[in-house]
Structure formats: C-alpha cells, structure tokens
Amino acid sequence: MSKLQQEALDRGINLFNEQRFFEAHEEWEQEWRMMREGEDKTFFQGLIFAAASFLHYTRRECAGAKELLSRSLSSLRAGMDLHPDISVGQLMEDLTRMKTPFEACGFDLQERSL
C-alpha cells in the first residue's frame, strides 16, 4: 500500500469512527478509483460499502443499508490478512451484528469504530 493510500485509509477510518459516513465513503472511494485491481482494492470497496450502508441506515433506507452491509462483508474478507493494524475481524463481527437492526429497521445506531 502506498503512503497516499495509507493516509486515505486512516482519514476514512477517523471519519467513520466519528459517524461521518458520507465523508468516509468519499475519502475511501477517491483512493479506490485510482487503485489497480486486487485484494487491497476489494478491501477498500468493502469499507466503502460499510460506510454507505450506515449512511443509508441513518437515512432510514433499510433495503439499501441491508444490501450494502452484505456486500461490505464479502469484500472486507480480502483485507483480513492485508491489514493487521486494523481490527478487520472485529469490524466484520460488528457489521454482522448490525444485520438484525438493519433488517428490522430499528434505527438503533450505536457507535461503531474500526
């Protein structure tokens, strides 16, 4: 991962942890668009999907939130071994736990962090 990619990853993580999901999505997507195909691009896409799923959820767009959450989990698996400094496994567990509230449209958004 290049230094610029790492910086974009870190900025996006900070934005996500502040529940600034749109901004996190935009930060990661900007870098993702310039990446070559491969596991890191897939991992970034998983982060983008995660941020987008929470954004949809906060807008009470449950169907979109649920679909993007599922796509996020599939894509994040690519980063399990690539980013040991990020709790990817914990993030995936947290996202998996959000499936039920997203499906129920319960709108109980608790703090989530990477």
Side-chain angles (χ1 to χ4, degrees):
M1 176 181 302
S2 74
K3 184 178 180 188
L4 291 175
Q5 290 169 340
Q6 184 64 51
E7 289 171 356
L9 178 63
D10 292 342
R11 283 191 302 270
I13 287 171
N14 289 333
L15 291 164
F16 186 92
N17 290 343
E18 293 170 3
Q19 295 189 9
R20 295 174 56 193
F21 305 118
F22 177 78
E23 292 90 343
H25 174 282
E26 292 297 303
E27 184 68 44
W28 290 324
E29 187 174 57
Q30 181 178 343
E31 196 59 42
W32 173 81
R33 288 180 184 274
M34 294 185 287
M35 296 173 114
R36 295 176 194 231
E37 289 301 319
E39 291 178 333
D40 230 21
K41 185 166 184 165
T42 301
F43 174 71
F44 263 73
Q45 188 173 40
L47 294 172
I48 293 164
F49 288 150
S53 72
F54 278 84
L55 181 61
H56 279 270
Y57 188 70
T58 61
R59 293 178 176 170
R60 299 180 182 263
E61 299 165 352
C62 296
K66 187 175 116 179
E67 173 64 25
L68 288 165
L69 184 67
S70 178
R71 293 173 72 184
S72 172
L73 289 165
S74 295
S75 297
L76 286 173
R77 283 184 184 84
M80 289 294 291
D81 297 323
L82 294 175
H83 299 283
D85 53 324
I86 300 173
S87 302
V88 178
Q90 183 62 54
L91 172 61
M92 291 179 67
E93 286 178 29
D94 289 345
L95 292 175
T96 299
R97 277 196 296 279
M98 290 304 296
K99 282 183 173 183
T100 300
F102 278 28
E103 288 173 358
C105 290
F107 304 108
D108 181 22
L109 185 62
Q110 299 174 6
E111 282 192 40
R112 301 283 178 238
S113 59
L114 300 179

